[in-house]
């Protein structure tokens, strides 16, 4: 029973299971735990099904005889499921809180969605869904998200790769069905012109992310400023002009002084003239370019800001904000121009220096960056000066990850130690790789940082550890030893003498718990340096133990010396004390440990609300009348007497004879029928000709 004591605290159980899930093979471990331990089954299943990155696990809950292939449920179903086939899917669907779908992955057949739409036993198969991530390439793929868009959804992430025709309809239904707290919209095509009108009901947004052409329009800026509960904002300023960035604040607040005759940006010249040309747009553009335009504030309640683009555009954007930002995440082009970086750093410190707690700098085109970092080819390295950052008293995390601007000197780290005294996490391009030239930052350069920043617990830098500290230096003083530094990541740092570096680290960070560097398994590294840091990792625990033991003994010896000195002080002679008797009384109160197990009685009550429906049929048959009409045509019989004209022609045929006998004359009579009779009955002519020939023969014989 002691092993199940954790079940008494649901929050502790939840944290433990989430930790197991984040570990390597955590999902499989939780699955085994749910199958083997009855007490942990429900909690483990809740963590397992809380977040899904695909619809495939849900489809696999259908009976096996319905699936086309059991091992690949995404291929679809062989026939529509019956009502009892939905039981498992609905039972596990209640546990799902977040789900994602990617159409380009092509792991779910499109035939699944019409089946869900037509045969689902209830309106939403995921009734407790709160977060929906949908990546679509086609109009049909985008429309499928409406099947899972429950009224309880608070977070929606839409990623559209191509131009779709039904985007306005989907956004309209999205706005009508839900009341979102987080909206992320990413598209490669421009936003609809009436984007703000479609989402006018969404006035409770806490986090907003817009990465699409047209996101810097004045209408979007006015809509963003109207979100009174907005705490986090993400915008993309890539390939935008300064005028376009300034246009985001065009309609937020009317410009003061533009209506005066003497104003540079005004349109009134002081002289009445109806035909005077309007140069207001040109003047406003000139003010924006020169920096003389009046600044205006927007979103004073904003706490987190993430911007992507050039350093100059980001500097122009943050100059308009008057909010107390706590987190600033910037994705800039690398390497930035020196003047633009100087302006950006100065603007950040002036606008948010007293409130900023987290500052992150990363580069665009992360895929190319990872490709360069994982190979052995040289990367053009350039310095990034940190001396432009002024006083940041509340900054506790500084994270810089740029592929080319990776050169930091000892002076930069010393400046950070003076500028950010409360820094806790510091990462200065730990993924940088120096192949031909050594890093500019040395191991001795970390001493000011460790001395001034007493809260520093995580440090990730690339250093040159080939030359260790000398004995005559102040590195081994007690003040230069950190009690808070627990994690150190040295990346591709150079090293020559591992034992000397281990001695220095044992003094600088005697309580160091984690030491990381790049090995052959995860990076293309220099084998010599990797082996050197491996030896440092082997030496360091033993040297740390010796270092801490020496310090404890030194602290204990000093106390003994102090006590001895106190005893050696001369005590004045006092008169003898009277005899007293010591008597001890046991006044220990009786304590009884008594525990009361207070378990609230829980009653589960379920209410099924189903509306009463009434089926009504209305027979609408129009009145029909039958009318019969006698349409027999009038027929007249007429007789025509047709008698053909007959003519008789007599032909005298006298054959030529050579005999001396006297020829006889024969008379041949031919009766010609009319032409119509000759055409219709050819046989008549044949018979007539045969009869004629026969009569001629008979006459000849005569």
């Amino acid at each position: 029973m002691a092993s199940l004591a954790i079940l008494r605290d649901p929050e502790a159980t939840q944290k433990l299971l989430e930790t197991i899930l984040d570990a390597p093979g955590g999902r499989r471990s939780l699955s085994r735990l749910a199958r083997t331990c009855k007490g942990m089954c429900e909690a483990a299943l809740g963590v397992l099904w809380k977040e899904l990155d695909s619809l495939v696990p849900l489809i696999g809950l259908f009976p096996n005889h319905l699936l086309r292939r059991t091992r690949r449920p995404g291929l679809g179903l062989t026939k529509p499921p019956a009502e009892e086939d939905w039981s498992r899917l609905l039972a596990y669907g209640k546990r799902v809180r977040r789900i994602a779908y990617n159409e380009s992955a092509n792991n779910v057949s499109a035939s699944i969605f019409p089946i869900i739409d037509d045969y689902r036993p209830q309106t939403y198969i995921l009734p407790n869904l709160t977060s929906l991530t949908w990546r679509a390439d086609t109009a049909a793929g985008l429309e499928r998200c409406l099947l899972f868009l429950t009224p309880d959804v608070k977070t929606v992430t839409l990623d559209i790769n191509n131009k779709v025709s039904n985007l306005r309809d989907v956004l309209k239904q999205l706005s009508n069905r839900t009341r979102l707290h987080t909206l992320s919209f990413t598209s490669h095509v421009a936003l609809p012109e009436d984007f703000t009108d479609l989402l006018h009901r969404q006035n409770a947004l806490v986090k907003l992310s817009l990465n699409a052409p047209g996101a810097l329009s004045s209408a979007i800026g006015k809509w963003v400023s109207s979100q009174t509960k907005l705490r986090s904002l993400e915008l993309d300023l890539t390939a935008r002009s300064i005028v376009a960035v300034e246009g985001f604040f065009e309609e937020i607040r009317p410009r003061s002084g533009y209506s005066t005759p003497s104003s540079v940006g005004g349109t009134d010249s002081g002289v009445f003239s109806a035909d005077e040309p309007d140069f207001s747009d040109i003047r406003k553009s000139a003010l924006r370019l020169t920096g003389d335009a009046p600044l205006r504030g927007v979103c004073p309640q904003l706490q987190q800001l993430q911007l992507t683009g050039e350093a100059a555009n980001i500097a122009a954007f943050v100059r308009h904000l008057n909010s107390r930002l706590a987190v600033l995440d910037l994705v800039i082009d690398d390497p930035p121009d020196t003047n633009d970086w100087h302006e950006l750093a100065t603007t950040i410190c002036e606008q948010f220096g007293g409130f900023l707690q987290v500052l992150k700098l990363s580069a665009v085109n992360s895929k190319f960056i990872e490709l360069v970092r994982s190979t052995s080819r040289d990367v053009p390295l350039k310095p990034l000066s940190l001396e432009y950052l002024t006083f940041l008293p509340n900054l506790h995390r500084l994270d810089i990850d740029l592929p080319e601007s990776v050169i930091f000197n000892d002076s930069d780290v010393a400046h950070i130690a003076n500028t950010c005294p409360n820094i806790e996490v510091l990462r200065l391009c730990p993924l940088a790789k120096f192949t031909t030239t050594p890093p500019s930052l040395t191991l001795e350069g970390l001493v000011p940082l460790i001395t001034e920043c007493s809260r520093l617990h995580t440090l990730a830098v690339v250093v040159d550890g080939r030359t260790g500290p000398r004995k005559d230096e102040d590195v081994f003083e007690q003040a230069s030893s950190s009690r808070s530094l627990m994690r150190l990541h040295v990346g591709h740092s150079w090293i020559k003498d591992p034992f000397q570096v281990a001695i220095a680290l044992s003094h600088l960070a005697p309580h160091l718990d984690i030491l990381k560097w790049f090995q052959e398994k995860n990076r293309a590294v220099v084998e010599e340096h990797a082996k050197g840091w491996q030896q440092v990792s082997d030496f360091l625990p033993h040297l740390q133990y010796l270092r801490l033991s020496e310090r404890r003994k030194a602290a204990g010896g000093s106390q003994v010396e102090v006590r001895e000195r106190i005893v050696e002080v001369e005590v004045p002679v006092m008169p003898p004390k009277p005899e007293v008797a010591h008597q001890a009384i046991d006044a220990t109160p009786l304590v009884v440990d008594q525990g009361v197990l207070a378990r609230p009685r829980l009653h589960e009550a379920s209410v099924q609300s189903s509306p009463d429906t009434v089926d009504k049929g209305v027979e609408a048959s129009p009145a029909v009348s039958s009318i019969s009409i006698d349409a027999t045509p009038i027929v007249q019989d007429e007789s025509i007497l047709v008698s053909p004209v007959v003519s008789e022609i007599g032909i005298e045929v006298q054959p030529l004879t050579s005999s001396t006998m006297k020829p006889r004359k024969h008379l041949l009579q031919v009766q010609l029928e009319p032409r119509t009779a000759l055409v219709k009955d050819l046989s008549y002519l044949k018979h007539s000709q045969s009869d004629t020939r026969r009569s001629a023969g008979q006459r000849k014989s005569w």
Side-chain angles (χ1 to χ4, degrees):
M1 298 298 293
S3 60
L4 297 179
I6 192 174
L7 294 177
R8 298 176 183 177
D9 191 350
E11 295 182 0
T13 306
Q14 184 77 9
K15 293 294 182 182
L16 176 63
L17 296 177
E18 290 178 355
T19 304
I20 296 175
L21 182 64
D22 295 336
R27 188 171 294 274
R28 181 175 298 179
S29 300
L30 282 184
S31 178
R32 292 173 178 173
L33 183 62
R35 293 194 302 265
T36 55
C37 181
K38 186 177 181 180
M40 303 285 287
C41 180
E42 288 297 325
L45 288 178
V47 175
L48 273 175
W49 289 88
K50 183 178 180 180
E51 182 175 359
L52 299 179
D53 56 357
S54 175
L55 298 174
V56 176
L58 289 174
I59 302 173
L61 296 174
F62 283 110
N64 292 338
H65 67 275
L66 295 179
L67 301 176
R68 294 183 183 275
R69 293 185 63 179
T70 306
R71 295 185 179 273
R72 298 183 62 184
L75 294 180
L77 307 179
T78 57
K79 61 179 181 179
E83 185 175 357
E84 60 273 7
D85 297 332
W86 292 85
S87 57
R88 290 185 62 197
L89 191 147
L90 296 179
Y92 284 89
K94 296 179 181 179
R95 297 185 172 94
V96 179
R97 298 294 186 273
R98 295 185 292 271
I99 196 169
Y101 171 75
N102 189 0
E103 186 179 5
S104 60
N106 199 20
N107 57 355
V108 177
S109 176
S111 61
I112 293 292
F113 299 97
I115 293 178
I116 296 177
D117 191 14
D118 297 337
Y119 297 95
R120 52 185 172 177
Q122 59 187 28
T123 306
Y124 302 107
I125 61 175
L126 304 178
N128 299 322
L129 191 68
T130 59
S131 178
L132 179 64
T133 301
W134 208 264
R135 294 177 174 85
D137 298 332
T138 60
L142 180 61
E143 190 176 1
R144 295 165 190 162
C145 70
L146 301 178
L147 295 176
F148 307 94
L149 203 60
T150 64
D152 294 335
V153 171
K154 301 299 180 182
T155 302
V156 172
T157 302
L158 293 179
D159 191 348
I160 304 173
N161 295 328
N162 300 322
K163 186 176 181 180
V164 293
S165 58
N166 58 345
L167 179 59
R168 296 184 69 263
D169 297 337
V170 173
L171 290 178
K172 186 176 181 180
Q173 295 192 41
L174 171 67
S175 180
N176 294 334
R177 291 189 185 184
T178 61
R179 188 174 179 83
L180 300 178
H181 291 169
T182 302
L183 174 62
S184 177
F185 186 85
T186 304
S187 175
H188 297 285
V189 297
L191 291 175
E193 296 181 357
D194 54 348
F195 181 80
T196 56
D197 297 335
L198 296 173
L199 300 178
H200 71 280
R201 296 183 71 255
Q202 304 299 328
N203 55 2
L205 290 175
V206 178
K207 184 176 180 181
L208 177 63
S209 175
L210 293 177
N211 296 321
L216 295 181
S217 63
S218 58
I220 298 294
K222 184 178 180 180
W223 178 65
V224 170
S225 63
S226 65
Q227 301 292 331
T228 58
K229 298 182 179 180
L230 191 64
R231 298 293 182 270
S232 178
L233 178 63
E234 179 181 353
L235 291 175
D236 188 3
L237 312 181
T238 306
R240 301 294 190 272
S241 62
I242 298 294
V243 178
V245 175
E246 296 285 348
F248 182 81
F249 306 92
E250 190 71 27
E251 298 182 6
I252 293 179
R253 189 179 299 172
R255 293 182 181 268
S256 59
Y258 270 12
S259 59
T260 60
S262 60
S263 175
V264 178
T267 59
D268 189 3
S269 62
V271 180
F272 178 76
S273 176
D275 300 331
E276 182 182 359
D278 188 5
F279 296 100
S280 59
D281 295 336
I282 301 176
R283 291 169 182 170
K284 292 177 182 178
S285 301
L287 288 175
R288 294 174 188 136
L289 293 175
T290 57
D292 297 331
L295 301 181
R296 298 161 295 172
V298 58
C299 300
Q301 75 284 356
L302 201 64
Q303 296 180 358
Q304 298 181 9
L305 179 64
Q306 181 177 352
L307 298 176
T308 304
E310 296 80 5
N313 290 346
I314 295 177
F317 188 91
V318 299
R319 197 179 294 116
H320 290 271
L321 301 179
N322 59 352
S323 55
R324 299 184 175 184
L325 285 183
V327 179
L328 182 59
D329 190 354
L330 304 179
V331 184
I332 62 177
D333 290 340
D334 185 47
D337 185 72
T338 304
N339 296 331
D340 295 343
W341 165 242
H342 186 189
E343 182 184 1
L344 177 60
T346 305
T347 305
I348 291 174
C349 296
E350 291 177 354
Q351 295 290 116
F352 322 111
F355 317 105
L356 197 61
Q357 300 179 8
V358 178
L359 177 59
K360 297 181 181 180
L361 294 177
S362 56
V364 193
N365 301 327
S366 59
K367 293 183 179 180
F368 174 74
I369 295 169
E370 291 298 327
L371 179 62
V372 171
R373 288 171 176 171
S374 60
T375 57
S376 58
R377 55 180 139 171
D378 294 340
V379 180
L381 304 181
K382 296 183 180 180
L384 183 68
S385 178
L386 300 180
E387 296 181 356
Y388 299 140
L389 296 175
T390 57
F391 192 54
L392 297 172
N394 295 323
L395 189 70
H396 62 79
R397 180 174 180 177
L398 178 59
D399 194 343
I400 301 178
D401 185 10
L402 300 175
E404 298 185 23
S405 304
V406 297
I407 299 179
F408 300 98
N409 301 320
D410 295 346
S411 59
D412 294 329
V413 176
H415 181 74
I416 290 296
N418 297 327
T419 304
C420 312
N422 295 320
I423 193 74
E424 297 179 5
V425 180
L426 179 61
R427 292 187 175 93
L428 300 178
C429 299
L431 306 179
K433 187 175 182 180
F434 298 83
T435 56
T436 57
T437 58
S440 300
L441 182 62
T442 61
L443 196 60
E444 297 85 352
L446 301 179
V447 174
L449 186 67
I450 294 176
T451 304
E452 300 294 335
C453 304
S454 58
R455 297 183 179 182
L456 182 66
H457 59 78
T458 301
L459 180 61
V461 291
V462 180
V463 298
D464 183 9
R466 295 178 302 170
T467 58
R470 297 189 302 269
K471 295 181 180 180
D472 55 348
E473 294 181 351
D474 298 335
V475 178
F476 294 102
E477 291 184 357
Q478 186 72 22
S480 61
S481 181
S482 176
R483 297 181 59 88
S484 60
L485 188 59
M486 302 293 293
R487 289 171 288 275
L488 178 62
H489 188 192
V490 295
H492 292 287
S493 297
W494 289 30
I495 190 172
K496 185 176 181 181
D497 190 352
F499 188 72
Q500 188 177 6
V501 173
I503 292 175
L505 288 180
S506 66
H507 173 76
L508 296 176
H511 300 278
L512 189 66
D513 187 26
I514 299 175
L515 176 63
K516 292 184 178 181
W517 68 96
F518 287 136
Q519 302 176 0
E520 297 85 349
K521 297 180 180 179
N522 51 15
R523 289 282 169 174
V525 299
V526 179
E527 185 177 359
E528 180 182 358
H529 299 324
K531 290 182 179 179
W533 287 108
Q534 179 63 49
Q535 294 179 5
V536 172
S537 178
D538 297 337
F539 294 151
L540 188 59
H542 306 286
L543 295 176
Q544 285 177 331
Y545 176 76
L546 292 176
R547 184 79 64 180
L548 294 176
S549 300
E550 292 175 355
R551 292 181 179 179
R552 282 193 296 267
K553 290 181 180 180
S558 61
Q559 293 178 0
V560 173
E561 292 178 359
V562 172
R563 290 178 182 177
E564 291 178 355
R565 292 175 183 175
I566 294 175
V567 173
E568 291 177 358
V569 175
E570 295 182 359
V571 180
V573 179
M574 298 295 293
K577 295 181 180 181
E579 296 182 357
V580 294
H582 296 282
Q583 185 177 1
I585 299 174
D586 187 7
T588 304
L590 297 177
V591 180
V592 179
D593 295 334
Q594 184 177 1
V596 178
L597 179 61
R599 294 182 177 177
R601 296 180 180 179
L602 303 177
H603 297 278
E604 296 183 358
S606 60
V607 179
Q608 182 179 2
S609 59
S610 58
D612 296 334
T613 59
V614 179
D615 295 335
K616 293 183 178 180
V618 179
E619 183 180 358
S621 57
V624 180
S625 58
S626 301
I627 300 175
S628 59
I629 300 173
D630 187 7
T632 304
I634 299 174
V635 181
Q636 288 182 339
D637 295 335
E638 294 182 0
S639 59
I640 300 173
L641 178 61
V642 179
S643 59
V645 179
V646 181
S647 59
E648 294 182 359
I649 299 175
I651 301 172
E652 182 180 357
V653 179
Q654 183 176 358
L656 298 178
T657 55
S658 61
S659 61
T660 58
M661 293 180 64
K662 187 177 180 178
R664 297 179 181 179
K665 294 181 181 180
H666 300 279
L667 180 60
L668 178 63
Q669 292 182 356
V670 179
Q671 185 178 358
L672 298 179
E673 295 293 332
R675 183 176 297 177
T676 56
L678 293 176
V679 174
K680 292 183 179 180
D681 193 4
L682 296 177
S683 61
Y684 175 77
L685 290 177
K686 294 179 182 180
H687 293 296
S688 299
Q689 292 176 2
S690 59
D691 294 339
T692 306
R693 292 172 184 172
R694 189 180 297 110
S695 60
Q698 291 176 359
R699 292 178 181 178
K700 187 176 180 180
S701 61
W702 293 342

